[in-house]
Amino acid sequence: MTGSEILAPLSLPGDRAEWPSWLADRCTRALAEAAGLRTEVAGSAPDEALSLWNRLHTELGNAFAVAELVAQVHPDAAVREQAEQIEVDATRFRTELMLDAAVFAALTAVPNDTLDDAGRRALEHSLRDFRRAGVDLDAETRARLREINEREVELGQAFSRGIRDGKGVTTLPAAAAAGLPQDWIDEHPVDAKGEFTLTTEYPDTVPFLKFASDDAARREVLRTQYAVAWPGNDTVLQELLDLRHEHAQLLGYADWAEYDAEVKMIGGGAAIGEFIDGIAADALAAGERELAILLERARQDDPATSAIDSSNWRHYAEVVRREQFDVDAQEVR
């Protein structure tokens, strides 16, 4: 494959009916190519293994990239489900790949002294990832890791699905739309009862929380938004967290944070909390000054306002920008 072919724009189906076959063909073909390259890597000479390994991951990455995107954004539920199943299949392939002793041995045999700096880094990280997958553990542990990997993907999909598909609706009196742009009001007509509805979708909720002057209505809209995927996702999340903890401990790590952070810029699990605490400490004084400005402005509308919270900070930040700095988001947009 040439560089121009690798960088060619993705051509998507023009007809919605073509999506299932297009998705299956593209991703199935990529996984089949990856499977063939896996066999080639396992039987390759040391001077060929790394190049084949790179091509394998290009094919696998192509399958994941398309499936993950389509699973999140395609308007057809059946196509999203098809893409989710491809994600599961690709994850199963990747798990088996990273537990493949023959492929690991082939890469281990690649001599470092024949590689440039980028090649040595790629090889070092690849061998590290094999060990992080558990390639050198006993058969029973590897079998359990296979189960965990697949279930983690299923739970992650279920969690995302709950948020994506679990849309909520808030019904409010017509007066609650005061402050919203006219085009937003026109898109939310009032019914015979004198009420309108808005969903938890971004174009509905965010403008409402920013521009609506009705404090009680903003709280009701935010409450609906926060209830999306609840309580179902609680169970999903708890199982996912439990599995991740078991996953990390099977591989010799204290917990998931320590395992996951090892290959991230943060370096270690303990550093995550330290970083957050440091940022919070550095931002505290500035944050308190800004909250005081917002609270002062909120009390001009209602002297009983006791705090700036998730339901009113967007609104009063917008009001302050408009009144003190002559920046009106409705004009900017």
Side-chain angles (χ1 to χ4, degrees):
M1 181 175 290
T2 66
S4 61
E5 289 174 326
I6 291 173
L7 297 175
L10 186 63
S11 179
L12 301 177
D15 188 330
R16 288 184 67 166
E18 296 173 357
W19 270 94
S21 59
W22 178 87
L23 184 61
D25 177 67
R26 182 174 180 84
C27 294
T28 301
R29 181 159 35 88
L31 288 176
E33 288 286 339
L37 287 163
R38 172 183 170 182
T39 301
E40 288 189 51
V41 173
S44 64
D47 61 341
E48 299 175 334
L50 200 57
S51 175
L52 292 168
W53 180 247
N54 181 63
R55 287 173 53 198
L56 188 162
H57 277 275
T58 297
E59 295 294 346
L60 185 57
N62 285 339
F64 268 115
V66 172
E68 288 172 350
L69 179 63
V70 172
Q72 290 299 320
V73 304
H74 200 279
D76 189 329
V79 175
R80 292 198 303 269
E81 291 174 7
Q82 179 187 0
E84 288 181 344
Q85 183 56 53
I86 292 170
E87 283 187 88
V88 173
D89 294 341
T91 298
R92 187 181 297 118
F93 174 85
R94 183 173 59 189
T95 298
E96 292 296 335
L97 173 67
M98 301 309 293
L99 292 173
D100 189 325
V103 174
F104 179 60
L107 290 174
T108 303
V110 175
N112 263 319
D113 56 8
T114 63
L115 304 173
D116 59 15
D117 289 344
R120 280 192 291 273
R121 184 175 187 273
L123 179 60
E124 176 187 334
H125 284 200
S126 295
L127 295 177
R128 175 205 64 191
D129 292 344
F130 270 99
R131 296 186 182 96
R132 282 170 51 83
V135 69
D136 51 356
L137 299 178
D138 62 81
E140 182 179 352
T141 303
R142 294 199 307 273
R144 178 56 182 157
L145 286 168
R146 289 186 182 92
E147 295 174 357
I148 290 175
N149 275 315
E150 189 162 334
R151 183 58 179 160
E152 283 173 344
V153 172
E154 293 171 349
L155 290 168
Q157 290 177 339
F159 190 86
S160 297
R161 195 182 307 120
I163 295 172
R164 184 188 67 223
D165 298 342
K167 300 176 181 64
V169 174
T170 307
T171 301
L172 297 167
L180 271 297
Q182 187 58 48
D183 59 339
W184 191 98
I185 294 174
D186 292 343
E187 291 171 0
H188 298 78
V190 176
D191 62 18
K193 297 181 180 179
E195 299 174 328
F196 68 94
T197 61
L198 67 155
T199 71
T200 49
E201 295 289 343
Y202 179 100
D204 274 3
T205 298
V206 173
F208 193 90
L209 293 174
K210 179 180 286 188
F211 298 120
S213 56
D214 188 323
D215 182 67
R218 289 197 309 271
R219 289 182 180 278
E220 189 170 347
V221 168
L222 189 69
R223 189 177 298 112
T224 302
Q225 184 186 48
Y226 281 177
V228 167
W230 184 86
N233 265 5
D234 281 4
T235 303
V236 174
L237 182 60
Q238 187 58 61
E239 184 181 352
L240 180 59
L241 292 175
D242 289 344
L243 277 178
R244 284 181 170 180
H245 187 71
E246 181 186 356
H247 189 159
Q249 292 205 317
L250 285 173
L251 294 168
Y253 296 83
D255 51 39
W256 180 262
E258 198 65 26
Y259 168 77
D260 192 55
E262 182 185 34
V263 295
K264 306 290 175 61
M265 289 178 64
I266 198 72
I272 298 172
E274 294 169 3
F275 177 77
I276 293 172
D277 289 344
I279 293 294
D282 290 343
L284 181 61
E288 288 178 336
R289 288 195 300 271
E290 292 190 8
L291 285 174
I293 293 170
L294 299 182
L295 183 58
E296 179 183 8
R297 179 58 185 83
R299 284 174 173 166
Q300 293 178 30
D301 291 344
D302 182 1
T305 302
S306 59
I308 296 297
D309 58 28
S310 297
S311 71
N312 61 12
W313 74 264
R314 295 176 185 82
H315 175 71
Y316 283 107
E318 173 61 23
V319 171
V320 168
R321 280 192 293 268
R322 184 170 61 244
E323 294 179 351
Q324 297 188 17
F325 303 101
D326 195 26
V327 177
D328 187 337
Q330 293 194 34
E331 293 184 12
V332 171
R333 76 189 182 99

